[in-house]
Amino acid sequence: MRAVNSYTPWIVLAALTSRAVSLPARDIRTGTGPDQDAPTQLDRVGAEIKHWRRTTEQPPAPENQGQWSEIINFPLVPVSTAIIAATGEVLLWSAWSRDKFLGDGGAGQTATAIFNPTTGSVTESIVTNTEHDMFCPGVSLSASGLIVVTGGNNAEKTSIYHPDTNTWSSAAPLAISRGYNAQVQLSNGGIFTIGGSWSGGEGGKNGEYYDPDANTWTLRPGCPVDPILTNDRQGVYRQDNHAWLFARQNGSVFQAGPSTNMNWFTTDGEGSTNPAGPRGDDTDSMNGNAVMYDAVAGKILTVGGAPDYENSPATANANIITIGQPNEPATVTALGNAKYARAFHNSVVLPDGKVVVIGGQNYARTFNDDTTVFEPELFDPETGCFTVMAPMSVPRNYHSVAILLPDATVLSAGGGLCGEDCTVNHPDGQIFTPPYLLDADMNPAPRPTIQATVPETDVCLGSTVGVTVELDTEGGSVCQFSMVRFGSATHSVNTDQRRVPLDFAEGEQAFEVLIPSDPGVVVPGWWMLFAINANGVPSVAKLIHIQ
């Protein structure tokens, strides 16, 4: 693995073969139900794995609504992803097979790949040594940068990816077998997981705590799953899935959804649960998104989701949740709705605090691309408004992912995983360039360059980092610094990403940037440090490890 301290543009991989075929798919940009059809043409590319994509002509995007790359082919359907410590490369994985999954029990292996956005290279590996089918798991990034994957098809398993050696190892089994569980890295160095009745039996998927030093999972009797359940008509099999979890002070966890009831969990001792109030007038929002765009102020955007996991109309509901100290009630402010109702979408916080909402469909239906929303939306917390962005080329619905890259672009990928001839399999991705990286002529905007930091990589909470920035004469001086934690994503959940705006002492090219001392704000681990110029253009990130 190569350290990435400078980041050059990605390179698109060329497809091996290409031929057009007509298929009974749908291309629907609006609507709220499953019965609105429009013909579309898809393109099948590749040999071992089939790439289905829309080839109907796209309308021109409004002026500077961002820009999408050409399609990047992958050897598998990316159902889960995480940014790799120190390098900024992207780990992708599917299930026991590249393009399909097995039911509860799995096959004891996982198809994985590493994508290098700098070179465009993709390296595939089948992981067998852990005997873990890591489909539908909990995922989090540890304080040291390990990628910790729990449950899923082999519901009792814990597997750990080691970036320094590019290897996987087994860790202690879960106390309760589970899949579709949510998992979060804590401010005290531990890991918390809860829910997950998709596999390992239904019900009783109470919270448990992982101690990385002792390599043990221990139940927290004071953290029952019942307070987080939705009212899904399929029962607990769906009601405890994909919780929206946020680490805060002293090992605490804030649960923002998808249930309308919000809660605080503490993880020390036996653990405890305290209600944080309802999420305003919102409905249950399964397969919606929650993004902490300002961890200092405790600001969380929630958007979309559906009352039930499947066969359910999505909503365009959007709220701002503000949290303070653990166990205090949260404040909820309803926003004007997003432009599109969505479920199975993904949302990514950007260095400037805006949030891009990608993919999803108006009507939640697994393994289905009907009612796809092709246009992303960009949420601006300064105005509280959503703006429609340039449309993407490929549906990104159930089993899709999106994640921030160190060059301040966003990778959107995946969807499907339903077998060789399934037309909603999408073993590919596209990179979205947000408007802040483009000038009025849609060319790359001048951006600042972080030349050096002192310390170079390892940074302590509460310390000051010296940052030397090279300025472009057209871009103006540096007006902001921010950090975004490395992300992980699966099933529309990313509990690792969060943004922290930073205080700094001004200088022409040398700056002193203050890292907050609170691990409930700056959760230890790997972060991307950005400098942002007067035109709002971010630098390529400097990758730092906060301890």
Side-chain angles (χ1 to χ4, degrees), residues 196-219:
S197 287
W198 181 82
S199 62
E202 295 184 15
K205 302 304 176 79
N206 300 325
E208 56 184 293
Y209 176 90
Y210 180 68
D211 182 336
D213 294 328
N215 185 29
T216 56
W217 284 99
T218 307
L219 290 175

Side-chain angles (χ1 to χ4, degrees), residues 13 39 41 113 131 166 178 188 277 297 312 375 414 429 440 456 527 540:
L13 297 177
Q41 187 181 54
E131 299 181 349
N166 187 25
R178 56 182 89 221
N188 63 5
S312 183
E375 294 89 345
E456 182 177 359
W527 290 73
V540 170

Side-chain angles (χ1 to χ4, degrees), residues 117-384:
T118 304
T119 65
S121 67
V122 179
T123 304
E124 184 183 15
S125 176
I126 306 298
V127 178
T128 59
N129 66 297
T130 59
E131 299 181 349
H132 187 181
D133 183 348
M134 294 180 282
F135 172 66
C136 295
V139 185
S140 59
L141 306 181
S142 79
S144 62
L146 305 177
I147 300 172
V148 181
V149 182
T150 61
N153 251 350
N154 293 126
E156 78 288 354
K157 294 276 189 177
T158 301
S159 293
I160 295 178
Y161 176 75
H162 302 265
D164 54 342
T165 58
N166 187 25
T167 59
W168 289 85
S169 67
S170 295
L174 291 161
I176 296 176
S177 297
R178 56 182 89 221
Y180 276 14
N181 50 309
Q183 180 174 305
V184 63
Q185 174 66 35
L186 303 178
S187 59
N188 63 5
I191 295 173
F192 179 75
T193 191
I194 195 168
S197 287
W198 181 82
S199 62
E202 295 184 15
K205 302 304 176 79
N206 300 325
E208 56 184 293
Y209 176 90
Y210 180 68
D211 182 336
D213 294 328
N215 185 29
T216 56
W217 284 99
T218 307
L219 290 175
R220 291 295 186 255
C223 301
V225 73
D226 288 353
I228 78 168
L229 299 181
T230 69
N231 290 309
D232 196 292
R233 58 175 170 260
Q234 288 186 272
V236 72
Y237 173 68
R238 294 297 198 193
Q239 291 171 349
D240 68 0
N241 298 178
H242 311 320
W244 305 344
L245 305 180
F246 296 90
R248 289 304 267 181
Q249 292 82 1
N250 303 315
S252 64
V253 178
F254 177 70
Q255 175 253 328
S259 63
T260 57
N261 292 322
M262 304 182 296
N263 296 277
W264 285 99
F265 296 105
T266 63
T267 60
D268 56 331
E270 297 288 293
S272 68
T273 307
N274 290 282
R279 195 173 56 257
D281 295 327
D282 202 358
T283 64
D284 287 338
S285 300
M286 185 59 70
N287 297 303
N289 297 166
V291 181
M292 184 173 276
Y293 63 88
D294 185 339
V296 175
K299 298 289 186 180
I300 298 168
L301 169 71
T302 70
V303 58
D308 298 291
Y309 203 107
E310 287 198 78
N311 300 318
S312 183
T315 80
N317 296 350
N319 298 280
I320 298 299
I321 302 171
T322 304
I323 58 174
Q325 292 299 309
N327 299 324
E328 293 180 351
T331 300
V332 180
T333 303
L335 298 169
N337 286 356
K339 302 293 184 182
Y340 295 102
R342 302 175 193 253
F344 301 125
H345 52 295
N346 291 275
S347 296
V348 176
V349 66
L350 303 178
D352 62 357
K354 295 177 182 177
V355 178
V356 61
V357 183
I358 297 176
Q361 56 192 163
N362 298 151
Y363 191 85
R365 198 176 260 181
T366 61
F367 302 114
N368 187 288
D369 283 341
D370 294 354
T371 70
T372 289
V373 182
F374 287 92
E375 294 89 345
E377 296 178 52
L378 189 65
F379 171 72
D380 185 347
E382 294 296 321
T383 65

